[in-house]
Amino acid sequence: MIPVEEALEIVLREAPALPAEEVALEDALGRVLAEDVHSDADMPPFDRAAMDGYAVRATDVATAPAVLDVIGEVPAGTWPELEVGPGEAVRIMTGAPVPTGATAVQQVERTRAADEFRVTILESVAHGAHVAPRGSEVGAGDLVLERGRRVDPATVAVLASVGRARVRVARRPVVALLVTGDEIVEVAAVPGPGQIRNSNGPAVAAQALQAGAEVRLLGVAGDDLVALRSALEGGRGADVLLVSGGVSAGDYDLVEPALEELGFSFLFTKVAVKPGAPLVFGKRGTTLAFGLPGNPVSAQVTFELFVRAALLRMQGVGGVSPPRVEVELLGPLKNRSGRKAHVPARVRFEAGRLVAHPVRSMGSGDLVAHAKANALVALDAERTQAEAGEAAEALLLGRFLEDDGAPI
Ligand code: AMP
Ligand code: MG
């Protein structure tokens, strides 16, 4: 058994970088930038009014109220040819270029029309008020997005504003997923005696999709070496072979020999992690293979810790592990496993600090308890007991962002 940190290091070291491809901006969401993006222009591209009101010379309204001659109007999308001289003002709209001579904009609410051609500025304005100067946000040629960044809506906005209708992103890793177990039946089936539904296949496929992969389903194979091998052969061409089940010490756990017959060599087969000790990681050329434990929570947690990291690294993402925060435990936790434990919890901001409510779980088969958690509290192997009130490290899961605040 190797420690979690060492296993992660091996996985990251072995994960091959994927080539880049070009996609349209509307297809870029969730993809990872394979290039640094620079601005093609100053932002704002001109001195821009931030309010509807009047462009003025701040010195003219140093004593307010002040009456100014209105010499024209600048709607957004036009270019002002006029110049604001002493004692003059120009009616201006949000987003419009501030005309030469003007040094500030006074918002319309702080003005009153004096007559058809004159305005009373009711309050003075500071030099530069409500004007966003050209290039004050970003200069032409400045780096605005770095490669390795996952495209989210805010990234889409930046790409759009610098004219990137197409962008280079990492190719999506192709994951071939095989579910194993004689007892496994499809989701739509009613399980017979001794049978259970395939929950790992859909769950792990969903995790892979969220990590940016393209998923090929290889179906369900029984615990039989020939069946496993021929099913795994269907994964040829994939970047990652993912197998659920069949990696523990039972007589029917044949995933390792099947992968071996296909030419994979193993970098580790057991990790000191709970849930999930049996975890097989192998490689053949640039193809990675993960044998995940069949227990539903073990499969999901080991995916989150190792497979997701590999998929993100292959796409060039820097931060490959779930975000970590320090939490105050609201209940006692035990870890007698001798491995690094990941205990389901709900983390929330309460009374000025992040707290972790332990979720009652029956163990690594309890996928319903796992679905209630939005975080995993990590307890090192040596930390056999943690009491309420103590601090601990929590790994935040995606659901953390969707906490509805309902009572726990
Ligand atoms: P294994 O790792 O194959 O020994 O399986 C460990 C446990 O996980 C057993 O209770 C299996 O029935 C269960 N299991 C294995 N594969 C799946 C699956 N695809 N969906 C749900 N449970 C599974
Ligand atoms: Mg099995």
Side-chain angles (χ1 to χ4, degrees):
M1 278 216 263
I2 61 168
V4 170
E5 293 72 19
E6 194 181 326
L8 181 61
E9 245 172 64
I10 294 172
V11 166
L12 294 178
R13 187 187 73 211
E14 299 297 332
L18 293 172
E21 63 187 17
E22 205 183 77
V23 295
L25 179 57
E26 55 270 32
D27 298 324
L29 183 68
R31 304 295 295 270
V32 178
L33 292 181
E35 58 172 336
D36 289 337
V37 176
H38 299 265
S39 183
D40 66 335
D42 289 337
M43 283 191 224
F46 44 80
D47 293 345
R48 183 182 60 201
M51 289 280 179
D52 295 322
Y54 289 87
V56 301
R57 299 162 80 100
T59 46
D60 283 353
V61 298
T63 352
V67 180
L68 302 175
D69 293 331
V70 180
I71 60 164
E73 186 185 70
V74 203
T78 62
W79 189 257
E81 299 297 347
L82 38 72
E83 195 171 316
V84 177
E88 293 177 343
V90 162
R91 181 97 172 93
I92 197 163
M93 311 304 153
T94 302
V98 175
T100 315
T103 60
V105 169
Q106 180 53 293
Q107 58 192 102
V108 69
E109 293 85 349
R110 294 182 183 160
T111 69
R112 190 182 335 111
D115 59 43
E116 205 180 331
F117 302 106
R118 290 184 312 159
V119 63
T120 307
I121 307 295
L122 300 172
E123 287 171 40
S124 58
V125 277
H127 186 95
H130 309 313
V131 178
R134 170 177 182 164
S136 58
E137 293 159 3
V138 169
D142 282 359
L143 179 68
V144 287
L145 295 168
E146 282 178 65
R147 64 157 62 214
R149 182 186 171 117
R150 190 95 86 104
V151 177
D152 65 0
T155 317
V156 169
V158 175
L159 289 167
S161 75
V162 301
R164 300 305 301 269
R166 300 187 68 78
V167 63
R168 289 186 74 72
V169 295
R171 174 168 76 65
R172 298 175 67 174
V174 177
V175 168
L177 172 60
L178 177 67
V179 170
T180 76
D182 285 334
E183 76 279 33
I184 307 301
V185 296
E186 282 309 338
V187 175
V190 178
Q195 296 184 323
I196 58 152
R197 288 200 182 95
N198 173 22
S199 62
N200 286 353
V204 168
Q207 287 181 292
L209 282 175
Q210 274 197 340
E214 196 181 299
V215 180
R216 289 191 201 148
L217 300 176
L218 302 180
V220 180
D223 296 313
D224 166 277
L225 195 51
V226 177
L228 282 176
R229 204 181 54 201
S230 80
L232 282 171
E233 269 163 1
R236 272 199 192 285
D239 300 300
V240 179
L241 277 183
L242 262 188
V243 188
S244 146
V247 288
S248 4
D251 292 344
Y252 297 96
D253 291 322
L254 301 168
V255 167
E256 221 180 296
L259 285 170
E260 198 164 8
E261 284 188 17
L262 288 173
F264 282 86
S265 43
F266 301 106
L267 292 123
F268 57 79
T269 56
K270 271 194 171 54
V271 179
V273 61
K274 186 192 172 190
L279 174 65
V280 171
F281 177 57
K283 203 174 179 190
R284 184 188 60 200
T286 56
T287 309
L288 307 182
F290 289 92
L292 303 180
N295 267 312
V297 181
S298 310
Q300 289 181 57
V301 170
T302 50
F303 184 103
E304 202 64 23
L305 296 178
F306 302 104
V307 185
R308 179 173 173 273
L311 295 174
L312 294 184
R313 176 54 60 88
M314 291 166 83
Q315 297 170 81
V317 176
V320 296
S321 293
R324 285 151 206 270
V325 292
E326 191 185 87
V327 292
E328 181 184 322
L329 299 175
L330 291 190
L333 297 177
K334 278 195 182 71
N335 177 25
R336 298 280 154 76
S337 64
R339 296 171 267 150
K340 182 169 183 176
H342 298 80
V343 187
R346 286 186 70 107
V347 168
R348 268 196 188 157
F349 191 69
E350 279 177 12
R353 78 260 198 249
L354 276 175
V355 296
H357 299 258
V359 169
R360 199 185 85 93
S361 168
M362 298 306 290
S364 56
D366 197 345
L367 48 78
V368 175
H370 181 68
K372 288 179 184 156
N374 66 5
L376 300 168
V377 172
L379 294 179
D380 285 332
E382 306 74 46
R383 195 170 179 187
T384 53
Q385 181 99 20
E387 302 302 335
E390 286 182 18
E393 178 188 67
L395 282 59
L396 302 181
L397 302 171
R399 278 188 305 285
F400 181 75
L401 297 175
E402 274 126 49
D403 191 338
D404 59 3
I408 292 170

